[in-house]
Amino acid sequence: MTATDRSLELVNTAAQAAADKLAHDVIAYDVSDVLSITDAFLLASAPNDRQVKSIVDEIEERLSKELGAKPVRREGDREARWVLLDYVDIVVHVQHSEERVFYALERLWKDCPELELPADAKATRGKAQEHAELRAQEDDAEFGEPR
């Protein structure tokens, strides 16, 4: 079994929305062979809670406006460390970068086929690492310790 056309449409629209809000490391997996509850998982992250919220809001707004899709469940709102949007056909995980590293969902789904995403979404790969390195350099500069 593979992800349906509807699932792919939802994933691509959500991935583009996440990329437009500067999400890091957007990736999607076809989990239809291993899970009966959904076709695909979309993962995205951001370096702060405010940006996590912004990405989630943009995904919800775009899926609603462009595809008439509303999540049947939304979890994790208050903390904005890990927000899950369940659209039945797809499940979107938007995580704070620290949670993304800690929980490493990619490890769980690495055997599932990766879905093709829009170019803007693919361009987000490695952004979390770039951001972490930049922050470390800024911290070193602030505290006078060269790398």
Side-chain angles (χ1 to χ4, degrees):
M1 193 169 151
T2 58
T4 65
D5 288 345
R6 175 67 174 170
S7 300
L8 296 175
E9 189 178 38
L10 290 165
V11 161
N12 282 307
T13 301
Q16 184 64 53
D20 290 350
K21 286 295 179 178
L22 307 178
H24 293 170
D25 301 316
V26 179
I27 192 165
Y29 295 101
D30 181 340
V31 296
S32 60
D33 282 343
V34 293
L35 292 176
S36 59
I37 56 170
T38 192
D39 284 346
F41 276 169
L42 178 72
L43 311 177
S45 54
N48 61 62
D49 302 354
R50 202 172 79 239
Q51 194 175 353
V52 168
K53 273 188 184 325
S54 175
I55 293 165
V56 168
D57 290 346
E58 184 69 12
I59 290 170
E60 272 196 292
E61 187 176 318
R62 294 271 276 282
L63 290 181
S64 176
K65 201 182 289 180
E66 295 176 20
L67 303 175
K70 297 211 180 304
V72 296
R73 196 170 84 228
R74 180 178 171 150
E75 293 180 11
D77 279 342
R78 274 189 306 286
E79 302 82 26
R81 302 288 294 179
W82 181 350
V83 178
L84 179 147
L85 299 172
D86 184 350
Y87 286 90
V88 181
D89 294 318
I90 72 166
V91 175
V92 178
H93 299 268
V94 182
Q95 296 176 297
H96 188 287
S97 299
E98 292 168 5
E99 265 66 12
R100 178 92 179 252
V101 169
F102 183 80
Y103 290 102
L105 294 179
E106 287 92 335
R107 262 200 344 260
L108 294 172
W109 308 111
K110 71 179 184 304
D111 295 334
C112 295
E114 195 176 315
L115 293 170
E116 190 65 29
L117 294 177
D120 290 345
K122 282 202 261 187
T124 67
R125 304 284 170 82
K127 293 291 184 194
Q129 184 64 36
E130 283 176 29
H131 181 80
E133 290 169 4
L134 187 61
R135 289 291 302 262
Q137 289 170 2
E138 289 170 356
D139 289 349
D140 288 349
E142 186 177 327
F143 298 109
E145 299 173 20
R147 282 221 170 243

